[in-house]
């Protein structure tokens, strides 16, 4: 086998960066709606191949950054859509938003390459890159959209999320890619065998996890109805369109035979909860003796909340959940006084100061259906929000308004991440989206039934059964974090000893 690093050594930095950026674009095509895993995985070898031994730390940082720019610039193209809802006011921000977020997130990928080259230990890029992806879930309120490990979402490899979580999948993916690149340089048989063993284990383990038996449910299956009104964001709050969408919701709700639970999407009610008594009475009449979950906004002591309510079988509001992880620059503005001076406000905020965050996760008691953990829109992007830290729910429920994401990649990527939450926790996910994709997802992340993007309608689906606790649902990311910090410490000690 020839040394693939040999032709790399003659390349200028500019050419390296162009090739790496294009590889980042190809890796971005591994995300929904493309799902080109077979193209994305070979593309992931390129930044490792470009990190040849003679590359200095500055050049290595640029290589990691270029790969990130290509990846995020491709996978996050949907980010321009929220700015086009009111194009006359905010449309000018769209290209800047895409460029800035791609360039900014790429810094997370530049640092592992810079640090690995600084240490002289190329392998260190793998744990450092995984740490960088893990940190994206937390730093500056977090934005773990499009994690490296999600490249496996359309494959059976995604089932490993039940054991090692999405960040563990990232580590596994990067390790296989790094080993494959090293084999081309060193021709070391052990490295090649290790890469093959990991790949076989990923596929074989995925098959095993996919075939885990699900205990049959006792009694008659409970039927859940998801309602999708399909209200485009630029029409959703127009005075003449509000009754159109509201009546559409009501008409889908009152169709017989009655299900056991009805779920409306995020901000489905066109008024604040404070003023919704009459409208909720109409909703209750349409639902009959069926409990409902409804997305609504509310105000409390001058603070506004993006909320979800549970109306019980008698039509009374028995529980309220306030979204606790808000979208920066969407639902609230950091440093609002500063941005107010230049007349820039949150795209989806209700008041000048934006929404307020709720107190945190809570379970909803749905009676015979069990207990549900509610997630509102963006919260389903975060693996750490799909668990309560207390008693385990029987299902996850996500209500969302993906009309903000447009009609291309954003809604499908959001759906893919909802599927990952189901796999990680071993729980069914009930997902009601304003414009789609509404879906019932089983505990292995498989879509049981759905309503297509851009369609109005409803589906009645038996509630899928939950699996027993997954390893990841019990451990979270703590074991992985300990492993990554341990590997990083070993690398730092080896780098220090080599320098003396």
């Amino acid at each position: 086998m020839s040394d693939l690093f040999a032709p790399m050594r003659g390349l200028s930095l500019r050419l390296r960066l162009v090739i790496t950026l294009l590889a980042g674009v190809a890796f971005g095509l591994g995300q929904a709606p493309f799902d080109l895993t077979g193209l994305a995985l070979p593309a992931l070898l390129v930044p490792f191949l470009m990190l040849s031994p003679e590359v200095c730390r500055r050049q290595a940082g640029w290589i990691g950054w270029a790969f990130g720019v290509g990846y995020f610039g491709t996978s996050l193209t949907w980010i321009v859509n929220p700015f086009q809802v009111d194009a006359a006011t905010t449309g000018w921000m769209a290209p800047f938003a895409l460029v800035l977020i791609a360039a900014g997130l790429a810094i997370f990928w530049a640092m592992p390459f810079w640090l690995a080259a600084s240490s002289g230990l190329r392998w260190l890029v793998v744990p450092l890159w995984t740490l960088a992806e893990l940190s994206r879930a937390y730093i500056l309120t977090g934005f773990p959209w499009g994690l490296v490990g999600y490249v496996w979402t359309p494959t059976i490899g995604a089932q490993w999320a039940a054991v090692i979580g999405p960040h563990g999948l990232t580590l596994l993916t990067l390790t296989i890619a790094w080993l494959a690149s090293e084999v081309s340089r060193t021709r070391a048989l052990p490295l090649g065998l290790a890469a093959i063993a990991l790949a076989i284990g990923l596929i074989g383990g995925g098959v095993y996890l996919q075939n885990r038996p699900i205990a049959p449910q006792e009694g008659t299956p409970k039927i859940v109805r998801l309602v999708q009104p399909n209200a485009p964001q630029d029409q959703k709050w127009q005075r003449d369109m509000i009754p159109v969408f509201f009546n559409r919701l009501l008409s889908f709700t009152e169709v017989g035979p009655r299900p056991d639970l009805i779920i409306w999407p995020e901000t489905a009610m066109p008024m604040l909860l404070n003023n919704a008594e009459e409208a909720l009475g109409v909703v209750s009449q349409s639902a009959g003796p069926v409990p409902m979950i409804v997305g609504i906004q509310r105000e409390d002591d001058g603070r506004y909340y993006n909320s979800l309510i549970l109306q019980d079988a008698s039509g009374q509001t028995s529980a309220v959940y306030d979204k606790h992880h808000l979208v920066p620059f969407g639902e609230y503005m950091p440093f609002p006084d500063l941005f107010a001076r230049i007349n820039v406000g949150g795209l989806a905020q209700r008041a000048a100061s934006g929404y307020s965050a709720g107190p945190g996760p809570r379970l909803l008691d749905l009676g015979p259906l069990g207990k549900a953990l509610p997630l509102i829109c963006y919260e389903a992007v975060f693996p750490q929000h799909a668990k309560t830290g207390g008693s385990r729910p029987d299902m996850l429920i996500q209500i969302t308004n993906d009309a903000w994401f447009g009609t291309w990649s954003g809604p499908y990527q959001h759906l893919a991440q909802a599927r990952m939450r189901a796999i990680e926790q071993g729980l069914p996910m009930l997902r009601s989206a304003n414009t789609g994709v509404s879906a019932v997802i089983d505990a292995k992340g498989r879509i049981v039934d759905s309503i297509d993007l851009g369609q109005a309608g409803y589906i009645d689906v038996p509630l899928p059964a939950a699996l027993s606790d997954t390893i990841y649902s019990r451990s979270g990311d703590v074991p992985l974090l300990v492993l990554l910090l341990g590997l990083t410490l070993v690398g730092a000690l080896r780098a220090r000893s080599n320098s003396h």
Side-chain angles (χ1 to χ4, degrees):
M1 184 186 296
S2 61
D3 181 0
L4 291 184
F5 279 109
M8 304 296 177
R9 296 189 179 100
L11 297 179
S12 66
L13 176 61
R14 181 176 298 179
L15 188 54
R16 286 175 188 262
L17 296 182
V18 170
I19 294 173
T20 307
L21 186 144
L22 293 176
V25 171
F27 189 56
L29 296 178
Q31 299 293 327
F34 308 102
D35 291 331
L36 299 178
T37 305
L39 173 66
L41 290 176
L44 186 57
L45 271 66
V46 173
F48 293 125
L49 293 172
M50 291 296 171
L51 192 64
S52 51
E54 78 281 0
V55 168
C56 69
R57 61 185 182 182
R58 179 183 64 86
Q59 294 172 329
W62 282 115
I63 287 170
W65 185 81
F67 190 69
V69 168
Y71 173 73
F72 291 114
T74 301
S75 61
L76 297 180
T77 51
W78 59 266
I79 207 74
V80 304
N81 288 285
F83 299 91
Q84 300 300 330
V85 172
D86 184 7
T89 304
T90 59
W92 64 272
M93 302 181 192
F96 296 101
L98 179 58
V99 170
L100 289 175
I101 197 169
L105 290 174
I107 295 174
F108 282 89
W109 291 14
M111 290 303 297
F113 283 77
W114 185 87
L115 290 169
S118 299
S119 70
L121 302 172
R122 292 183 61 260
W123 64 265
L124 199 55
V125 71
V126 172
L128 288 173
W129 195 345
T130 308
L131 272 173
E133 286 290 86
L134 181 59
S135 69
R136 277 210 289 132
Y138 297 94
I139 291 178
L140 298 176
T141 77
F143 186 65
W145 194 288
L147 297 171
V148 168
Y150 291 162
V151 71
W152 298 103
T153 302
T155 75
I156 57 174
Q159 297 300 317
W160 273 100
V163 179
I164 57 179
H167 302 296
L169 263 177
T170 292
L171 176 62
L172 183 58
T173 305
L174 294 176
T175 301
I176 293 173
W178 180 81
L179 287 171
S181 70
E182 281 295 289
V183 168
S184 71
R185 182 174 71 90
T186 64
R187 308 178 192 179
L189 180 61
L191 293 179
L193 293 176
I196 293 171
L198 285 176
I200 292 175
L202 190 146
I203 296 172
V207 172
Y208 170 78
L209 293 166
Q210 179 86 19
N211 292 325
R212 286 170 295 169
I214 299 179
Q217 293 175 298
E218 297 180 359
T220 304
K222 301 299 182 182
I223 304 299
V224 177
R225 176 174 298 174
L226 305 182
V227 180
Q228 182 169 300
N230 191 38
Q233 194 59 40
D234 58 351
Q235 300 177 24
K236 182 175 172 63
W237 302 116
Q238 289 181 11
R239 187 176 297 274
D240 59 332
M241 293 302 295
I242 285 175
V244 173
F245 299 131
F246 186 61
N247 289 331
R248 188 178 293 172
L249 285 161
L250 293 174
S251 67
F252 295 146
T253 298
E254 62 192 14
V255 174
R258 302 288 187 183
D260 297 289
L261 176 68
I262 299 172
I263 305 177
W264 283 14
E266 179 186 15
T267 62
M269 294 294 290
M271 71 287 291
L272 293 173
L273 178 60
N274 313 63
N275 309 318
E277 183 176 355
E278 181 179 350
L280 286 174
V282 175
V283 172
S284 179
Q285 288 180 353
S286 296
V290 178
M292 289 189 62
I293 289 174
V294 178
I296 194 169
Q297 300 167 93
R298 72 182 191 93
E299 182 267 336
D300 183 16
D301 196 23
R303 294 177 178 270
Y304 289 86
Y305 297 89
N306 186 358
S307 305
L308 166 157
I309 63 171
L310 171 62
Q311 277 197 290
D312 60 26
S314 66
Q316 300 300 309
T317 299
S318 59
V320 178
Y321 166 70
D322 298 319
K323 186 178 182 182
H324 66 90
H325 198 134
L326 303 176
V327 182
F329 302 100
E331 294 173 310
Y332 76 98
M333 292 297 295
F335 314 109
D337 293 338
L338 174 63
F339 283 100
R341 293 179 183 178
I342 57 175
N343 197 32
V344 174
L347 294 173
Q349 67 183 42
R350 174 85 193 190
S353 57
Y355 287 106
S356 296
R362 65 165 300 181
L363 293 181
L364 300 178
D365 188 350
L366 302 180
L369 281 80
K371 289 182 169 57
L373 177 66
L375 302 165
I376 298 180
C377 190
Y378 185 59
E379 291 176 327
V381 173
F382 295 85
Q384 64 267 32
H385 291 337
K387 54 191 300 183
T388 62
S391 60
R392 187 174 189 244
D394 300 290
M395 71 199 80
L396 305 172
I397 293 179
Q398 182 194 16
I399 64 169
T400 185
N401 177 21
D402 288 0
W404 284 106
F405 299 157
T407 57
W408 182 232
S409 60
Y412 293 108
Q413 290 176 13
H414 206 195
L415 172 66
Q417 291 171 94
R419 292 177 59 197
M420 292 297 290
R421 302 295 85 81
I423 296 171
E424 293 157 11
Q425 300 300 320
L427 295 173
M429 167 76 81
L430 310 177
R431 185 176 197 268
S432 179
N434 171 29
T435 54
V437 177
S438 298
V440 173
I441 303 167
D442 75 5
K444 297 179 183 179
R446 299 172 298 191
I447 296 176
V448 178
D449 200 358
S450 64
I451 308 173
D452 290 342
L453 185 65
Q455 300 294 317
Y458 73 94
I459 50 174
D460 287 348
V461 184
L463 175 65
L467 289 164
S468 58
D469 285 8
T470 64
I471 293 175
Y472 181 72
S473 71
R474 297 193 297 269
S475 67
D477 295 314
V478 173
L480 176 67
L481 181 60
V482 171
L483 173 63
L484 295 174
L485 292 177
L487 291 172
T488 302
L489 178 60
V490 169
L493 293 175
R494 285 195 58 185
R496 182 177 179 181
S497 64
N498 292 341
S499 64
H500 286 83

